Amino acid sequence: MQRVEKDGPQLPAEVPSAYLEDASGLKGHAERLFAPLDEAGVATVLRDASAARIPVTVSGAGTGVTGGRVPFGGWVLSLEKFTRLDVHNGYAIVGACTLLRDLHAAAQRSGQFYPPDPTETGSSLGGNIACNASGARSFRYGATRAWVERLRVVLADGRILDVGRGDPIDFDPGSVPRPHVTKNTAGYLLRPGMDWVDLIVGSEGTLGVVTEATVRLLPLPPAVLGGVVFFRGDQQAIDAVEHWRATATPRMLEYFDLPSLLLLRTRFPEIPAQAGAAILFEQEMASEEDAAIDLWLERIEGAPGALAEDSWFATTAGDRERFRRFRHALPELVNDTVRRAGALKMNTDFAVPLDRNRDMLAYYRRRLEEEFPGRYVIFGHIGDAHVHVNVFSDPANPAPAADLFTEFARHAAELGGTVAAEHGVGKRKAHLLELQYSPQHLELMRAVKRRLDPAGILGRGNLWQH
Ligand SMILES: Cc1cc2nc3c(=O)[nH]c(=O)nc-3n(C[C@H](O)[C@H](O)[C@H](O)COP(=O)(O)OP(=O)(O)OC[C@H]3O[C@@H](n4cnc5c(N)ncnc54)[C@H](O)[C@@H]3O)c2cc1C
């Protein structure tokens, strides 16, 4: 191993293990670690790597769940020194490794908020941009891409791009059809006349290194109503979502099935004993006296199977934060359980068209009950027809779960959906792209990759396995 002395403070001779893994449980290896102080340093690393055809894996905060920042040889390029955070009226300028929670806090102090809300706030903005991350509030506000106004990007040859909305790419990338879903981060978004921002967002560290971004902020709503509504049965919760999606204007609709509630009860014993499923919602309001509160109470009392008396409601930021922790506790508990078992995380990230939500959920449930009874949870962004399935599989025999997830991916694609709604495909799910795209469309994407990174150094193994 070589010691890295240029472009940053002294770094350890061995690449620390923290840079060789992410939240997927995948572990890799690398020869050198670079943490440049500025863009010129990033450009030098990339130019040297391109000349020597050395793979470079870009590293954000390491919360990714697809192995995207896990290197298999070559160099790790950490953006950890890029932590600029300037909040202005209507926008913020953020360094690539500014953490989402720091942006949230700074925006809030200025009376604003950053709408995309991936639940893992320890992620970096660069990582969010690379994965086109989205979250619970994306039901109303969409994914990261919609909120990026400007990017500074270093390309594989060391060129530095400073590009804003409407700055077109300087070649024709062809066109790849998009699935009929509200969230998609599978492969590159390609269409004629597109701009650089759209191309780089969601490219998973394979087309360029994001060093800085300008993202849009909105004024904080005067009040927000939050609720965790418990239901006796699963079908009743799903019926309520379909009804509320059509008749109300929440900014989030999140789902927890019974196995999820059983897991959550280890941290939240106050979950009602008779609950068979739950929906978390948030509604923005003009004031704390807004008529929306009564409307929601009526809606919930009128929803068949809703446990209105036992459900939880909040209008204060503190109580809503409790609900956020409740929501976030689930993937954390899943990750802890998987890690303790020494297994790789097995989770889905598929979304389908809204009118196929019920079909997909029924398919998941039937096949999981057949193959993994008592060893799975289903939860997540049901408003966007995008739930996560997690299976607790045998670490010594992961193949059955992997096969079932491929079957799920194929089914989602057949329904007109996507094989990656918000996490990207990284290394662990790269094989799923061919279920969604034709060989011709994948070739268009590869042509863009070859054009921008002829030596194929960036994010090797992400999207493209060979
Ligand atoms: C408990 C938990 C909950 C989660 N919930 C959500 C959720 O609700 N929604 C969601 O979308 N995701 C979620 N995630 C996944 C994860 O937080 C996101 O994928 C996040 O965007 C990753 O950011 P990161 O900084 O940790 O990136 P990393 O893991 O470091 O990297 C992810 C990918 O981005 C690339 N990359 C990182 N920085 C840059 C850069 N500056 N330039 C170019 N490429 C770069 C890497 O090479 C890699 O391919 C969750 C994860 C956990 C552990």
Side-chain angles (χ1 to χ4, degrees), residues 344-414:
L344 278 180
K345 189 173 160 113
M346 301 293 268
N347 69 319
T348 71
D349 181 32
F350 316 135
V352 293
L354 297 184
D355 61 359
R356 307 317 294 266
N357 188 33
R358 284 177 193 276
D359 303 346
M360 194 71 204
L361 283 169
Y363 190 84
Y364 282 146
R365 184 78 60 199
R366 180 171 64 74
R367 296 291 291 122
L368 288 162
E369 284 297 317
E370 286 168 4
E371 304 271 342
F372 290 93
R375 291 192 291 146
Y376 71 88
V377 293
I378 308 179
F379 68 95
H381 318 296
I382 195 168
D384 283 306
H386 169 219
V387 294
H388 299 297
V389 174
N390 282 252
V391 163
F392 304 109
S393 70
D394 176 1
N397 184 23
D403 290 348
L404 182 61
F405 281 12
T406 303
E407 178 189 320
F408 287 158
R410 185 171 293 112
H411 194 63
E414 281 165 3

Side-chain angles (χ1 to χ4, degrees), residues 21-24 56-70 77 79 82 95-100 117-136 138 144 152-153 183 185 200 203-212 254 327-333 335 339 345 349 379 381 386 388 421-424 426-427 458-459 462-463:
E21 59 193 22
D22 68 1
S24 71
V56 175
T57 302
V58 191
S59 185
T63 70
V65 288
T66 63
R69 79 126 189 199
V70 179
L77 176 57
L79 275 292
F82 290 73
C97 239
T98 300
L99 297 186
L100 182 59
D117 190 22
T119 60
E120 177 50 69
T121 58
S123 58
S124 72
L125 265 298
N128 289 176
I129 289 165
C131 298
N132 190 25
S134 54
S138 296
T144 299
R152 291 187 66 89
V153 183
K183 309 159 92 171
T185 179
I200 296 296
S203 62
E204 299 194 52
T206 63
L207 296 182
V209 179
V210 175
T211 56
E212 193 172 279
E254 297 278 303
R327 165 67 180 82
H328 191 54
L330 192 54
E332 281 179 346
L333 283 163
N335 290 355
R339 215 173 285 132
K345 189 173 160 113
D349 181 32
F379 68 95
H381 318 296
H386 169 219
H388 299 297
E422 68 181 11
H423 296 156
K427 297 180 180 67
L458 273 173
N462 288 359
L463 278 80

Side-chain angles (χ1 to χ4, degrees), residues 183-357:
K183 309 159 92 171
N184 177 39
T185 179
Y188 307 145
L189 171 74
L190 299 186
R191 56 178 177 228
M194 70 186 299
D195 66 22
W196 279 104
V197 173
D198 277 345
L199 180 61
I200 296 296
V201 176
S203 62
E204 299 194 52
T206 63
L207 296 182
V209 179
V210 175
T211 56
E212 193 172 279
T214 303
V215 295
R216 284 191 296 133
L217 305 177
L218 289 181
L220 273 173
V224 177
L225 170 69
V228 180
V229 185
F230 294 101
F231 290 83
R232 262 180 222 293
D234 199 58
Q235 208 48 53
Q236 294 156 330
I238 297 167
D239 289 345
V241 166
E242 297 300 334
H243 186 55
W244 295 346
R245 198 197 284 122
T247 57
T249 54
R251 68 177 182 181
M252 98 176 36
L253 283 174
E254 297 278 303
Y255 167 73
F256 308 82
D257 73 347
L258 178 59
S260 302
L261 294 182
L262 295 177
L263 190 57
L264 277 167
R265 205 174 269 129
T266 58
R267 269 198 213 172
F268 299 87
E270 63 274 33
I271 293 173
Q274 66 275 38
I279 301 296
L280 166 65
F281 76 91
E282 276 189 8
Q283 171 80 52
E284 293 181 3
M285 304 187 297
S287 76
E288 293 204 358
E289 282 76 49
D290 197 292
I293 298 181
D294 289 336
L295 277 176
W296 270 102
L297 293 179
E298 279 168 28
R299 217 170 260 139
I300 291 159
E301 277 159 11
L307 301 169
E309 296 289 320
D310 294 319
S311 294
W312 307 338
F313 301 98
T315 51
T316 67
D319 283 347
R320 278 204 318 280
E321 174 56 23
R322 198 176 128 242
F323 294 173
R324 202 196 66 78
R325 283 201 301 272
F326 178 81
R327 165 67 180 82
H328 191 54
L330 192 54
E332 281 179 346
L333 283 163
V334 169
N335 290 355
D336 289 352
T337 310
V338 167
R339 215 173 285 132
R340 271 202 310 274
L344 278 180
K345 189 173 160 113
M346 301 293 268
N347 69 319
T348 71
D349 181 32
F350 316 135
V352 293
L354 297 184
D355 61 359
R356 307 317 294 266
N357 188 33

